Amino acid sequence: MIRFQSLPRQIISYGGNRWDWALLPIVLAFLALLAWGASQMSAPYQVGTSLPILLDPIMLPYYLFRTMLRMCFAMIISLLFACVFAILATKIKLAERVLLPLLDILQSIPVLGFSFITLAGFIALFPGNLLGVECAAIFAIFTSQAWNMAFSLYQSLRTIPFDLAEAACVFRLSGWQRFWRLELPFAMPNLLWNMMMSMSGGWFFVVASEAISVSNQSIRLPGIGSYIALAIDMHNIHAILWAIVAMGLGILIYDQCIFRPLLAWADKFRFEETGGGNAQTSWLLSWLRRTNHFQKLGFIIGKSIVTTFSWFYRRELRPMPSMDVRTISPRWMHLFDFFMLMVVLLISWQLVHFILRTVHWVEISHVFALGCYTMIRVLVLIMIATLFWVPIGVWIGLNPNWSNRLQALAQFMAAFPANLMFPLMVIMIVRFQLNPNIWLSPLMILGTQWYLLFNVIAGASAIPTELRYAAKNTGLKGWLKWKRYLLPAIFPSFITGAITASGGSWNASIVAEYARWGDTTLKAEGLGSYIAHMTAVGDYPRLALGIGMMCLFVMSLNGFVWRKLYRISVERIRLS
């Protein structure tokens, strides 16, 4: 019999400490679950075959796992997309002129529109396999997560303090080194908060992503979204309550295992010259820091990134430019603008030609009026959300202790699907004979207010400690404190939240203006209900008209309102 004490010290050390051994079964179980989930996603499947969905609560852990797996894949893709988008848009002037309007267009296209466009392509890509439908669902979730993160990262890279940017030039950092050494650490706090918001956005559209209904054909993938959709069809309020419990569990797992450790780790990247304030804490991060082997794994990953710095470094010795934005000759810019104008006109002409084959101008003007109704709802709801959540978000952001406590609650409230409020709203509207045009509107605020709240929290928590001390020492109080200190400090983050809130509200209008509970359907006059109805009946020209009109409204709002405010935040209000 071998005694543990007789083993050489190197072997005992190599075996890790008790924290390693305690964490090892969890990691192995996670990897096994991941492999099993991947095999389930690639099971054989023929289009037209219905996948069994049961309302038995015992199936909820399985459905929750499938949904969380899709959202995890979508989040990874969204993060890569946000990095590529932000780098291109901030480094290359020509790319910025294309990518920002393109992101406005993509943000304005509803999740249902993406499912409608991409489902057939993904199914054709993986014939006879469930992976095609799974990819369509993941792509739909990606479209509800990516735009917010891309805007946040772009805004952070554009507002890097001048002294840090000049220091990067002095140290002759290459673009690759600058991204890992300066840009990503500086943007990390805001990016993490927006990742949480994006994850919540994925939960909000989980029903539309998993219960795909196009051209009178319904495909329901195993998941929480399909479970909720079936519960709504069956008038099963108990199943709805069980789904809420399962969603709460899923949000708690994401919060405790991913976002809270990342926030606690990223607290060191907060931009300030003096240490101070209460840092975020995480029991999982503390656990990982006590291990030997998992810490070494983190060091190996970090060292691998540092090794790549030697592959991309500046060789020239000439003075560095103050900013790393690649400028282009005005002549080429005008030529590029003309080319893009021709492309836009060609696409618009093709779209108008496709629509006018079956739709008359009278109906187009009617759809425009519907867009005006939805726009009024969006603007009113954003104003209400701003007045309500900005003070609360600033208070949470300036009090990290409360931020720790309220983070999971805020995530759960943000993720709460409007569909689960349908029974209450439909019953109330029918019971008291209320006007759906007014009383269905509160459902849209569920998809609007959280973008503002999370971005305001991120902006307030990123205020440097020395600036807080300066405001306190100068005795700023009341409206003067908001005017001179708090509002300028959070303004860039607020604008980012407002832009994404606007796009999110237009998307939310599709599920909020078309409420359904069993056989009862209530419609509010608006562009969202028009698109939802045309998607359900599979009327392609009118669906294209609705999506095109929504793009027009969102781009107009972004161009004439939000972009102007955003330029003010970049040029006049930034921490330096």
Side-chain angles (χ1 to χ4, degrees):
M1 179 178 179
I2 300 176
R3 292 187 177 181
F4 183 74
Q5 289 84 352
S6 64
L7 293 173
R9 177 177 294 274
Q10 291 83 355
I11 295 178
I12 296 174
S13 174
Y14 189 76
N17 57 27
R18 64 180 187 277
W19 302 103
D20 286 290
W21 286 103
L23 191 60
L24 185 62
I26 300 174
V27 174
L28 292 177
F30 171 75
L31 293 176
L33 272 175
L34 194 64
W36 179 72
S39 66
Q40 293 292 305
M41 293 174 72
S42 57
Y45 171 76
Q46 295 296 329
V47 178
T49 307
S50 62
L51 297 166
I53 303 293
L54 304 176
L55 291 185
D56 190 343
I58 202 171
M59 296 298 296
L60 274 173
Y62 171 65
Y63 294 152
L64 178 63
F65 171 70
R66 293 290 297 270
T67 297
M68 291 179 68
L69 199 58
R70 291 185 196 107
M71 297 185 74
C72 186
F73 285 140
M75 177 56 69
I76 294 171
I77 300 171
S78 299
L79 189 58
L80 293 175
F81 170 83
C83 290
V84 173
F85 171 87
I87 291 171
L88 291 177
T90 52
K91 302 292 182 186
I92 305 173
K93 206 68 178 169
L94 204 61
E96 184 183 26
R97 295 170 74 94
V98 177
L99 291 177
L100 287 184
L102 182 62
L103 197 60
D104 286 340
I105 296 173
L106 293 174
Q107 185 186 217
S108 60
I109 297 176
V111 173
L112 286 176
F114 282 111
S115 300
F116 178 78
I117 295 169
T118 60
L119 179 62
F122 279 118
I123 289 176
L125 198 60
F126 301 98
N129 199 296
L130 190 61
L131 196 57
V133 187
E134 290 281 358
C135 288
I138 292 172
F139 185 77
I141 297 171
F142 160 81
T143 60
S144 64
Q145 294 180 341
W147 322 138
N148 177 47
M149 293 165 57
F151 268 129
S152 166
L153 192 54
Y154 169 76
Q155 181 257 333
S156 296
L157 298 193
R158 286 294 305 271
T159 55
I160 288 178
F162 291 120
D163 47 354
L164 292 182
E166 289 176 356
C169 292
V170 169
F171 285 111
R172 299 180 181 279
L173 298 185
S174 65
W176 181 250
Q177 292 170 329
R178 180 186 167 107
F179 176 74
W180 288 103
R181 293 289 194 193
L182 170 63
E183 293 170 340
L184 189 59
F186 178 79
M188 189 65 74
N190 272 1
L191 180 62
L192 287 176
W193 279 101
N194 278 280
M195 283 173 65
M196 284 193 290
M197 183 62 240
S198 296
M199 184 63 78
S200 301
W203 283 108
F204 186 85
F205 290 105
V206 70
V207 176
S209 304
E210 292 181 348
I212 304 168
S213 180
V214 177
S215 302
N216 293 320
Q217 287 194 3
S218 178
I219 302 175
R220 288 180 175 174
L221 290 169
I224 291 291
S226 298
Y227 185 91
I228 294 173
L230 183 60
I232 291 173
D233 289 344
M234 303 292 290
H235 277 78
N236 193 329
I237 194 70
H238 295 289
I240 293 287
L241 295 176
W242 278 113
I244 293 174
V245 173
M247 276 184 52
L249 181 63
I251 293 167
L252 190 65
I253 292 172
Y254 267 122
D255 175 69
Q256 293 295 315
C257 297
I258 296 180
F259 291 120
R260 191 173 291 262
L262 285 175
L263 280 172
W265 172 75
D267 195 72
K268 60 184 178 182
F269 297 129
R270 195 167 60 174
F271 174 63
E272 59 186 12
E273 295 176 2
T274 59
N278 297 318
Q280 298 255 4
T281 58
S282 163
W283 60 268
L284 182 57
L285 185 64
S286 302
W287 188 355
L288 290 171
R289 282 173 173 164
R290 292 186 182 115
T291 61
N292 283 337
H293 289 309
F294 290 98
Q295 271 211 85
K296 287 178 183 174
L297 181 63
F299 289 142
I300 291 172
I301 295 173
K303 193 175 178 181
S304 303
I305 295 173
V306 173
T307 303
T308 62
F309 291 169
S310 61
W311 303 345
F312 308 96
Y313 64 92
R314 290 185 185 277
R315 294 181 175 82
E316 66 270 30
L317 296 177
R318 59 185 172 80
M320 296 294 107
S322 59
M323 298 294 290
D324 265 1
V325 178
R326 296 182 183 180
T327 55
I328 297 174
S329 165
R331 181 181 301 175
W332 285 107
M333 293 292 284
H334 293 320
L335 187 62
F336 179 77
D337 288 345
F338 177 76
F339 172 74
M340 291 305 299
L341 179 64
M342 290 296 105
V343 171
V344 170
L345 288 177
L346 180 63
I347 294 174
S348 302
W349 183 84
Q350 290 287 347
L351 182 62
V352 170
H353 179 70
F354 175 68
I355 293 171
L356 287 179
R357 283 192 298 183
T358 53
V359 182
H360 297 290
W361 284 103
V362 177
E363 185 170 349
I364 294 175
S365 62
H366 173 66
V367 174
F368 179 79
L370 293 177
C372 292
Y373 297 154
T374 302
M375 184 178 67
I376 292 171
R377 290 193 185 99
V378 169
L379 293 178
V380 170
L381 290 173
I382 287 179
M383 288 175 60
I384 294 173
T386 300
L387 294 174
F388 186 78
W389 287 115
V390 166
I392 295 176
V394 169
W395 179 77
I396 294 175
L398 294 178
N399 294 277
N401 288 333
W402 280 102
S403 177
N404 283 337
R405 297 172 189 168
L406 297 176
Q407 181 179 311
L409 177 63
Q411 269 187 269
F412 178 75
M413 296 299 294
F416 196 86
N419 314 56
L420 300 183
M421 293 295 293
F422 289 173
L424 179 64
M425 295 303 295
V426 172
I427 292 170
M428 189 180 75
I429 291 172
V430 173
R431 174 75 174 80
F432 297 102
Q433 298 183 344
L434 301 174
N435 186 349
N437 290 319
I438 298 174
W439 292 97
L440 283 180
S441 298
L443 295 176
M444 288 173 62
I445 206 169
L446 295 174
T448 302
Q449 56 193 340
W450 310 112
Y451 292 100
L452 290 170
L453 176 64
F454 277 63
N455 277 281
V456 171
I457 292 175
S461 62
I463 296 175
T465 304
E466 57 269 24
L467 188 58
R468 301 182 193 187
Y469 288 153
K472 187 178 180 181
N473 292 336
T474 52
L476 289 178
K477 291 182 180 178
W479 171 242
L480 188 63
K481 180 180 179 181
W482 281 93
K483 183 180 177 183
R484 297 292 186 190
Y485 162 48
L486 292 175
L487 289 181
I490 65 166
F491 192 68
S493 299
F494 168 76
I495 293 300
T496 302
I499 293 174
T500 49
S502 176
S505 299
W506 284 96
N507 251 314
S509 68
I510 296 170
V511 292
E513 292 180 347
Y514 196 81
R516 191 169 56 85
W517 176 244
D519 298 330
T520 306
T521 301
L522 293 178
K523 297 179 185 176
E525 288 290 320
L527 194 53
S529 62
Y530 181 85
I531 293 175
H533 177 68
M534 294 307 162
T535 304
V537 300
D539 191 331
Y540 296 96
R542 287 176 173 79
L543 179 59
L545 172 63
I547 293 174
M549 194 64 75
M550 187 170 281
C551 290
L552 187 65
F553 272 97
V554 174
M555 290 186 66
S556 300
L557 271 178
N558 287 351
F560 292 109
V561 180
W562 302 121
R563 292 290 168 218
K564 292 184 182 300
L565 293 174
Y566 183 78
R567 275 194 286 274
I568 292 175
S569 73
V570 171
E571 295 169 0
R572 301 182 188 178
I573 307 171
R574 67 190 291 181
L575 295 173
S576 298

